[in-house]
Amino acid sequence: MIAYFTHVVCLECGHEFAADIMAAACPRCHSGWLDARYDYAAVADVWRDGLPARDGSLWRYHELLPIRIPDPEISLHEGYTPLIRLYQYERIYNHPHLYIKDERQGPTSSFKDRQAAMAVTAMKQAGITECVLASTGNAAAAYAAYCARAGIKLWLFLTSLVPQEKMREAALYGAEVVRVSGTYDETKHVAAEFAKRRGIHLDRGAKAIPGKESMKTLGFEIAEQLGLAFDGRGWRTPDWYIQAVSGGIGPLGVWKAFQELYAMGLIDHLPKLGVVQASGCAPMVTAFQAHQAKATPVVPKTLITVLATGDPGFSYDLLYAAVQQTGGTMLAVDDGDTFAAMRHIASKAGLSVEPATAVAFAGLEKMLTNGTIQPGETVVVNCSGHTFPAESHVLGDQYLLNLDVADDTTGKIEGLSAALGQLDEQVTTIVVVDDNPNDRRLIRRLLRAYKNYRVFEAKDGADALRLIHEQKPDLIVTDLTMPEMDGFSLLEHLKANPVTASIPVVVVSAKSINTEDRDILNQFSDSVWTKGNYETRELVDHIVTALGDTPLEITRRRPNEIPVDAKIAPRTAVIIDDVEADRRLVRRYLISSGEFSVSEADCGRDGLKLIYEQMPDLVVLDLTLPDMDGLSLLQTLQREESLKHIPVIIYSSRILREEECRQFGVTVDNFIEKSTVNREIFMESIHELLV
């Protein structure tokens, strides 16, 4: 195929250099604002009469894209979404030719699918296997889906204001989701620092060449589809193109499409741009109304989180010039008008849209009402996304990482450094492989009691290989004696695969090891520990050291770690169980730890009385009681404000159904089955719960 992509231009200093889709900065001024250029004269001859026979996707415009052919393993037939006429709005406002570009029809229901398709394809071609991205929501889901198809591990940094549904959706695709308690601009900075520290590719989003060029296709489609609607073929420009704006790169891409069509002589005028922002985060509108070519950053104060970019930077400079060139406008709408527009477009036009799209519709309504849009002018609104909620019931409890960016007397630099240090620990991933769930749980609790690592569990070697492929762990802890695939076979598979060969493996097993076994383990594992014959802190310190971390000082008081002269009141515990032998066993565990004073009850009513009287630090509760169901007692504790904070360990022979666990908040961390308990498991469960 002919290569029409000829060179790259720096938009800040004008320097030109060779075509490179992965170019990150200008070699002269180091600006990241780069623009791909093409052989427009040659393309004009190909596009003159339209492209009616081509595939209905964004790739139909391949001559003016930096990637000519989609990757069939990645592409989801993105693009070429419908242009829908708003007959109901036309009647309401007595204004013909109002259209939406329905980007809800994309694979993840937003116009960011275009960006993700192009960017991920470029990364795959460049051999990139791991990527970092900061997003306000829609790009997160799109990149997560496409990275899943490409086999690229994605780290997503989202502000804490992004709806949980969008976080879950991204996590559902397998992305690592990091929630940052800061603004979007701070989140971008944290993501960049994280990528730099770990040597991971940082995707620059729509600002990068693949992202911006992909957004052009939306403009090409509008012109081609309007041409078909009005003339049956060719290209036609709307009088207005309206879009809600966050960072502003999307409309810049669409604007570039119209500029290229105009330069090739395929359209006779450029459209006016209607740039709409939420009033709680409208730095562009504020600068535009003050006739300023530069925007002053603001702190976002809007509920429309996907539009919460407080610092538009150079994108405003470019948009300002584009709006000035054609007589367009920038305007702000408040959140109340936005949600009213969302209901309006749903009830009057049958379109369920996300708040960001509703911002654009609120702007459209204002422009039609105040006469900004003149009678007879054709209008296209970018319907950027759908109200689609992600499935919230199929994910475990480790899909989300939290990162607090401190803003105190330590200052931003120190706060950021501390936050990234915490994140390094949170993203360290360990896979524990053992067919005994209690042994897996013990290792997990030992690790998480001292370090905030993420620990995943596999029940045998085959299950472990799948999990290791998904999670790409930093370390593996494995037993040797397991069904399906034992630990020796697992080690051989790991060391035979270049991707997993370098992952440290710690063996923890009760198996008797002969000389042949020892030779294999010396070759394939980092260390071997015998179950029941090691000091827990020694094992933890060894694992922490193997990960390249420094073992922490004692982070939690244990019985033998309390100074002799320290006068520390013991914690109080209430045991509620009608079986005397079980109460005695639990009492012995708690008292021998040196941490608890214990009271006992053999029925629910007496247990509640003790709880009300003592307000204990811990309740150990059987579920089978003579006078009441243990779950009813648990519900009482959860319902009463003065009692709901008390940690409860369920210690029972009764196995709960999944729906009961969900209803009463019982997890593997606060449930101990009587038949499987030992002192170490029991005390680690309590320590983790109390920590």
Side-chain angles (χ1 to χ4, degrees):
M1 299 181 72
I2 300 173
Y4 296 95
F5 180 20
T6 58
H7 62 286
V8 176
V9 175
C10 174
L11 294 176
E12 294 209 64
C13 76
H15 177 62
E16 298 184 5
F17 55 97
D20 178 7
I21 189 174
M22 298 304 290
C26 171
R28 175 185 290 174
C29 73
H30 308 295
S31 168
W33 288 93
L34 308 177
D35 198 42
R37 299 294 168 84
Y38 304 83
D39 183 350
Y40 295 109
V43 176
D45 291 336
V46 179
W47 286 21
R48 186 75 59 194
D49 297 320
L51 309 168
R54 294 194 177 183
D55 177 58
S57 74
L58 65 81
W59 304 97
R60 68 192 282 113
Y61 308 107
H62 56 78
E63 289 89 353
L64 291 187
L65 294 176
I67 296 175
R68 298 291 307 279
I69 304 174
D71 186 330
E73 294 186 13
I74 299 174
S75 177
L76 290 166
H77 299 281
E78 49 285 329
Y80 214 71
T81 55
L83 188 71
I84 299 176
R85 191 167 174 180
L86 299 176
Y87 292 102
Q88 302 88 338
Y89 265 63
E90 292 179 5
R91 286 192 288 269
I92 292 169
Y93 290 98
N94 192 28
H95 190 108
H97 302 303
L98 301 178
Y99 297 85
I100 66 161
K101 185 66 168 131
D102 194 4
E103 291 294 283
R104 303 174 310 155
Q105 306 301 324
T108 71
S109 305
S110 90
F111 76 124
K112 294 293 186 177
D113 287 321
R114 300 172 184 271
Q115 174 185 327
M118 187 73 66
V120 173
T121 301
M123 283 190 276
K124 183 73 176 293
Q125 290 183 355
I128 292 169
T129 59
E130 197 166 358
C131 170
V132 175
L133 175 75
S135 169
T136 54
N138 283 338
Y143 270 75
Y146 282 91
C147 281
R149 289 181 64 78
I152 295 174
K153 181 172 183 176
L154 177 63
W155 294 91
L156 277 175
F157 285 71
L158 307 175
T159 76
S160 56
L161 296 177
V162 172
Q164 291 287 332
E165 289 78 11
K166 288 193 179 291
M167 293 187 187
R168 290 193 189 101
E169 183 180 3
L172 190 63
Y173 290 120
E176 300 279 6
V177 182
V178 182
R179 179 172 57 191
V180 181
S181 63
T183 67
Y184 177 51
D185 299 299
E186 290 171 332
T187 300
K188 288 190 291 186
H189 183 54
V190 169
E193 287 297 317
F194 176 81
K196 182 179 178 181
R197 286 164 67 116
R198 297 177 72 92
I200 303 173
H201 172 73
L202 176 68
D203 189 274
R204 295 163 52 243
K207 185 178 177 181
I209 287 175
K212 183 180 176 186
E213 294 302 289
S214 69
M215 293 300 178
K216 289 191 321 189
T217 60
L218 202 153
F220 293 150
E221 290 174 19
I222 290 172
E224 188 179 9
Q225 290 167 331
L226 275 179
L228 291 171
F230 278 82
D231 305 317
R233 65 178 213 168
W235 309 85
R236 185 183 182 98
T237 311
D239 298 298
W240 282 94
Y241 173 75
I242 298 174
Q243 183 173 334
V245 169
S246 179
I249 310 295
L252 282 174
V254 177
W255 173 248
K256 183 182 179 184
F258 292 127
Q259 286 181 306
E260 290 180 334
L261 291 172
Y262 186 73
M264 292 189 295
L266 302 182
I267 56 176
D268 59 7
H269 71 280
L270 294 170
K272 303 171 189 175
L273 293 183
V275 174
V276 191
Q277 290 196 292
S279 58
C281 185
M284 294 192 190
V285 176
T286 301
F288 177 79
Q289 292 175 345
H291 306 289
Q292 296 173 347
K294 299 284 184 182
T296 302
V298 301
V299 176
K301 297 178 180 177
T302 175
L303 298 174
I304 318 301
T305 55
V306 296
L307 300 181
T309 300
D311 184 5
F314 191 60
S315 62
Y316 169 74
D317 303 29
L318 300 174
L319 269 180
Y320 180 76
V323 170
Q324 293 286 86
Q325 181 178 345
T326 60
T329 190
M330 296 187 182
L331 69 156
V333 294
D334 62 39
D335 289 356
D337 289 340
T338 294
F339 293 119
M342 180 186 288
R343 293 190 295 271
H344 197 197
I345 193 68
S347 62
K348 300 301 181 183
L351 299 172
S352 173
V353 302
E354 68 172 359
T357 295
V359 167
F361 274 104
L364 169 68
E365 293 175 358
K366 183 180 287 189
M367 293 167 68
L368 288 169
T369 301
N370 65 20
T372 301
I373 298 174
Q374 297 295 308
E377 289 186 318
T378 301
V379 181
V380 175
V381 181
N382 183 342
C383 183
S384 58
H386 199 283
T387 53
F388 171 72
E391 176 57 59
S392 61
H393 304 294
V394 298
L395 296 171
D397 60 357
Q398 300 191 69
Y399 79 92
L400 190 64
L401 299 166
N402 293 290
L403 183 62
D404 292 326
V405 179
D407 186 13
D408 52 26
T409 55
T410 61
K412 281 291 183 187
I413 301 299
E414 292 82 355
L416 176 60
S417 178
L420 286 168
Q422 295 168 13
L423 184 59
D424 283 340
E425 186 172 306
Q426 285 192 60
V427 301
T428 298
T429 300
I430 297 172
V431 168
V432 178
V433 191
D434 199 312
D435 61 325
N436 186 321
N438 291 315
D439 289 346
R440 295 197 306 266
R441 183 168 60 182
L442 175 60
I443 296 293
R444 176 167 66 86
R445 285 174 168 161
L446 284 174
L447 291 169
R448 287 183 60 82
Y450 294 97
K451 283 284 194 177
N452 198 20
Y453 296 147
R454 288 188 306 166
V455 182
F456 295 88
E457 300 177 29
K459 65 182 182 298
D460 55 45
D463 189 34
L465 286 177
R466 175 193 58 78
L467 189 60
I468 291 164
H469 176 73
E470 291 176 357
Q471 300 298 334
K472 299 180 175 63
D474 301 282
L475 182 137
I476 299 164
V477 179
T478 185
D479 188 14
L480 294 176
T481 307
M482 297 177 291
E484 302 295 333
M485 178 190 291
D486 67 12
F488 291 104
S489 299
L490 173 62
L491 287 169
E492 290 175 358
H493 276 83
L494 292 174
K495 298 307 175 182
N497 186 339
V499 176
T500 58
S502 61
I503 300 175
V505 179
V506 174
V507 172
V508 180
S509 179
K511 184 182 187 305
S512 297
I513 298 173
N514 57 35
T515 303
E516 183 181 352
D517 292 340
R518 178 67 63 181
D519 291 341
I520 295 173
L521 295 175
N522 287 339
Q523 181 181 358
F524 289 154
S525 70
D526 290 71
S527 63
V528 180
W529 301 70
T530 303
K531 288 183 180 180
N533 194 30
Y534 60 82
E535 290 293 329
T536 58
R537 186 59 193 263
E538 270 186 53
L539 175 61
V540 172
D541 283 353
H542 172 76
I543 290 173
V544 170
T545 303
L547 288 166
D549 293 340
T550 302
L552 289 180
E553 294 299 320
I554 303 303
T555 58
R556 182 181 70 215
R557 283 197 183 109
R558 303 236 180 198
N560 59 348
E561 295 161 359
I562 300 174
V564 175
D565 58 348
K567 296 180 180 179
I568 300 173
R571 290 167 165 162
T572 58
V574 169
I575 305 169
I576 308 173
D577 196 322
D578 63 328
V579 180
E580 184 178 357
D582 291 337
R583 291 201 311 273
R584 185 169 59 246
L585 179 64
V586 172
R587 181 175 69 246
R588 186 167 69 246
Y589 287 162
L590 293 173
I591 291 177
S592 65
S593 73
E595 299 178 60
F596 292 92
S597 64
V598 178
S599 299
E600 302 175 34
D602 59 5
C603 64
R605 288 185 177 83
D606 289 348
L608 274 175
K609 182 179 178 183
L610 285 174
I611 292 170
Y612 280 116
E613 291 173 351
Q614 299 184 12
M615 290 295 171
D617 299 297
L618 175 73
V619 171
V620 180
L621 174 66
D622 188 12
L623 295 179
T624 306
L625 300 171
D627 58 341
M628 63 190 305
D629 184 76
L631 290 177
S632 299
L633 191 152
L634 178 62
Q635 194 169 40
T636 300
L637 298 180
Q638 293 172 339
R639 187 170 54 240
E640 295 202 22
E641 196 64 34
S642 61
L643 305 178
K644 64 192 302 183
H645 69 283
I646 299 175
V648 179
I649 285 283
I650 305 296
Y651 176 61
S652 180
S653 299
R654 173 181 163 188
I655 302 301
L656 294 177
R657 300 189 304 273
E658 287 187 14
E659 57 269 25
E660 290 177 315
C661 291
R662 287 196 297 269
Q663 180 181 354
F664 296 99
V666 178
T667 69
V668 67
D669 292 321
N670 65 338
F671 180 86
I672 300 174
E673 187 180 349
K674 285 186 176 181
S675 62
T676 63
V677 74
N678 62 44
R679 183 182 182 281
E680 196 159 36
I681 288 178
F682 189 88
M683 293 311 300
E684 285 301 332
S685 298
I686 289 174
H687 285 141
E688 183 164 314
L689 183 67
L690 295 178
V691 168

